[in-house]
């Protein structure tokens, strides 16, 4: 499984636009073959930071995601929305288990 955690600091006056792009990206990405889960949220400590959590069955599914129209549209819009440097981390996960809390 491939897991990504992406953090995007957004210009405050562009937040609504960024959220519109994020909604479309999440909706369309969750329809892709090989996507296990694709979520976006605003950071509770900084409401102008968007955090993405993405899970893919494998590297091929992630690569296919980066070729989609909705990903490319978000990627093209991003430079005008950013207030700083994005951070993206990829994790190659061999196993995962749900925890009882």
């Amino acid at each position: 499984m491939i897991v990504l955690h992406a953090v995007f600091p957004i210009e405050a006056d562009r937040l609504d636009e960024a959220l519109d792009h994020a909604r479309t990206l999440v909706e369309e990405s969750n329809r892709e073959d090989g996507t296990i889960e694709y979520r976006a949220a605003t950071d509770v400590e900084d409401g102008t930071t968007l955090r993405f959590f993405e899970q893919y069955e494998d590297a091929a599914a992630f690569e296919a995601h980066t070729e989609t129209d909705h990903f490319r549209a978000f990627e093209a819009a991003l430079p005008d929305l950013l207030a700083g440097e994005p951070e993206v981390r990829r994790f190659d996960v061999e196993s995962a288990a749900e925890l009882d809390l």
Side-chain angles (χ1 to χ4, degrees):
M1 173 177 23
I2 304 297
V3 176
L4 269 75
H5 177 240
V7 180
F8 300 107
I10 303 297
E11 292 285 352
D13 63 338
R14 306 297 297 268
L15 183 59
D16 288 340
E17 181 182 354
L19 288 171
D20 286 343
H21 284 289
R23 282 183 194 95
T24 299
L25 184 60
V26 168
E27 183 178 310
E28 295 297 324
S29 297
N30 276 309
R31 293 183 182 151
E32 295 172 27
D33 290 337
T35 298
I36 298 169
E37 184 175 18
Y38 198 102
R39 299 284 175 239
T42 54
D43 189 295
V44 297
E45 291 181 350
D46 180 354
T48 60
T49 296
L50 296 183
R51 293 184 177 270
F52 286 78
F53 175 77
E54 309 168 31
Q55 288 179 282
Y56 302 94
E57 290 176 359
D58 53 30
F62 169 66
E63 292 301 322
H65 167 71
T66 65
E67 300 296 322
T68 62
D69 290 342
H70 49 273
F71 176 83
R72 289 185 173 177
F74 181 79
E75 186 177 46
L78 202 52
D80 292 333
L81 303 173
L82 287 173
E85 288 297 315
E87 295 177 30
V88 181
R89 294 191 186 268
R90 174 182 164 156
F91 303 87
D92 295 295
V93 179
E94 289 186 29
S95 66
E98 192 168 326
L99 300 176
D100 291 327
L101 297 179

